[in-house]
Amino acid sequence: MLIYKKLNNNAIISKDENHKEIVVMGKGIAFKKDIYDEVDEELITGIYALKSKNQQSKLQQLASEIPYEFFAIASDITMNAKKILESELDEGLLLHLADHLHYSYEKDKKGIKTPNLMLNEIKQFYKKEFEIGIAAIGLVNRRLGTRLGEDEAGFIAFHIVSCESTSGTIDANDLLIKMQKIIKAFEKYLHVTLDKESYEYSRFIIHLKFFMTKMITSTSRNDKSLSDDSLYQMLVEKYKNINECLDKISAITLLDFNYELTDTDRMYLIIHLARLVNK
């Protein structure tokens, strides 16, 4: 196996037997190595290849920025999820988990905690995925020395749910049609054309898919008001155009699905739409 490109000392791009690009990781695998040098196979800890060109490109970018240990942990979590759920998961789960775990690790080092405002819904609607998240957090804490808790377990469950090939009791085609309608409404009311190929859009779709699943399956809403939450008020004030857009989206969801956006829904949608529209 040859080195075709060095991403950093711990990650390189090589090619498999079919001459397709693969990302190969291992501690020190590219240290003091040049292009076309042989890879020391004893150092290899992971080989990753994604079918989607966009996902493969993002994999290479993340591999150059994130220590290989996060990919190793993400890979273990993914395999455990597949085993417990007995289903295939979208290949992008590896990227989302590695990216999220690295972000969570950096926050934990700084003593920053992010409350998961959807934790109750995750526990209620996605019990298996949440149990996988709890096991995953235990793994992360042991390997990285972090002190992550239930909130982060919920975020991991969130990513797993969003990458499941089916949506349980949700008709996949019905969910897709509803998502397309909401996306078109966002573009219409915000006067933008969303970049469907961007990573920001991919992350937005993860949240939108979760939101739509919650909207379709919820028979009652007991989300607390965030009127006294300083972060929520700051977001609403800073992104008035997006919040006004969400007023119109809420009217659509109320008419079509008998669901009115909660403050929690608004908070997360504002965050993700702001990243997407202002990237």
Side-chain angles (χ1 to χ4, degrees):
M1 185 182 293
L2 301 180
I3 297 174
Y4 285 87
K5 183 179 180 180
K6 292 173 61 174
L7 300 176
N8 55 41
N9 284 337
N10 305 311
I12 60 118
I13 295 176
S14 186
K15 292 186 179 181
D16 62 16
E17 61 274 12
N18 297 314
H19 304 290
K20 292 186 177 180
E21 287 191 348
I22 55 177
V23 174
V24 183
M25 297 185 192
K27 190 171 183 179
I29 198 171
F31 183 64
K32 293 185 178 180
K33 294 282 188 178
D34 294 318
I35 303 301
Y36 303 125
D37 279 353
E38 284 279 351
V39 174
D40 183 349
E41 297 191 5
E42 291 186 357
L43 296 177
I44 296 175
T45 57
I47 298 176
Y48 306 98
L50 304 182
K51 296 176 182 177
S52 164
K53 288 185 178 180
N54 188 42
Q55 298 278 31
Q56 183 71 6
S57 175
K58 188 60 187 179
L59 170 61
Q60 293 178 15
Q61 178 189 335
L62 289 178
S64 68
E65 299 171 350
I66 297 175
Y68 76 97
E69 179 67 12
F70 292 95
F71 286 91
I73 295 174
S75 181
D76 287 346
I77 294 172
T78 299
M79 287 192 293
N80 187 48
K82 287 181 178 180
K83 180 180 178 181
I84 292 175
L85 298 173
E86 298 182 337
S87 66
E88 286 300 313
L89 299 171
D90 185 88
E91 62 180 6
L93 179 60
L94 175 71
L95 303 184
H96 298 308
L97 285 179
D99 192 17
H100 178 78
L101 291 175
H102 181 251
Y103 178 62
S104 299
Y105 173 77
E106 293 297 327
K107 285 195 305 176
D108 187 68
K109 284 200 306 182
K110 298 174 183 176
I112 300 173
K113 295 186 181 298
T114 303
N116 190 330
L117 300 180
M118 290 188 177
L119 188 59
N120 289 334
E121 285 84 359
I122 293 169
K123 287 181 176 180
Q124 178 182 356
F125 294 116
Y126 303 106
K127 293 181 179 179
K128 280 189 176 181
E129 290 84 353
F130 182 68
E131 289 173 1
I132 295 169
I134 289 293
I137 288 304
L139 177 65
V140 173
N141 288 341
R142 287 194 300 274
R143 288 199 191 177
L144 302 178
T146 49
R147 296 161 295 175
L148 306 179
E150 275 198 346
D151 286 320
E152 286 298 327
F155 287 128
I156 289 175
F158 176 92
H159 285 294
I160 293 171
V161 168
S162 299
C163 288
E164 288 186 64
S165 57
T166 61
S167 302
T169 57
I170 304 296
D171 180 81
N173 187 58
D174 184 51
L175 179 63
L176 179 61
I177 292 172
K178 287 176 168 59
M179 287 179 66
Q180 289 175 330
K181 181 173 183 178
I182 296 298
I183 290 169
K184 287 180 180 178
F186 281 135
E187 291 183 321
K188 176 182 177 181
Y189 295 127
L190 290 175
H191 308 291
V192 297
T193 300
L194 301 179
D195 182 3
K196 309 299 193 299
E197 300 301 319
S198 69
Y199 186 60
E200 288 80 6
Y201 182 80
S202 175
R203 296 179 74 174
F204 168 65
I205 288 300
I206 286 176
H207 183 78
L208 182 61
K209 184 177 178 181
F210 184 87
F211 161 70
M212 296 294 289
T213 301
K214 172 192 171 188
M215 180 181 72
I216 295 169
T217 57
S218 288
T219 55
S220 63
R221 267 71 70 185
N222 55 6
D223 295 55
K224 66 178 182 179
S225 169
L226 298 179
S227 58
D228 295 326
D229 187 285
S230 58
L231 176 59
Y232 175 72
Q233 292 301 326
M234 182 274 288
L235 290 169
V236 168
E237 183 64 25
K238 184 175 181 179
Y239 301 107
K240 289 182 180 179
N241 62 323
I242 295 178
N243 191 51
E244 289 173 0
C245 169
L246 292 178
D247 287 338
K248 297 173 181 178
I249 296 298
S250 187
I252 293 174
T253 60
L254 184 60
L255 180 64
D256 290 0
F257 316 124
N258 191 34
Y259 185 94
E260 187 173 8
L261 266 64
T262 67
D263 288 353
T264 299
D265 296 329
R266 284 177 178 267
M267 182 173 181
Y268 277 89
L269 287 170
I270 288 174
I271 290 172
H272 286 279
L273 279 169
R275 287 176 178 172
L276 183 57
V277 174
N278 300 317
K279 74 179 184 68

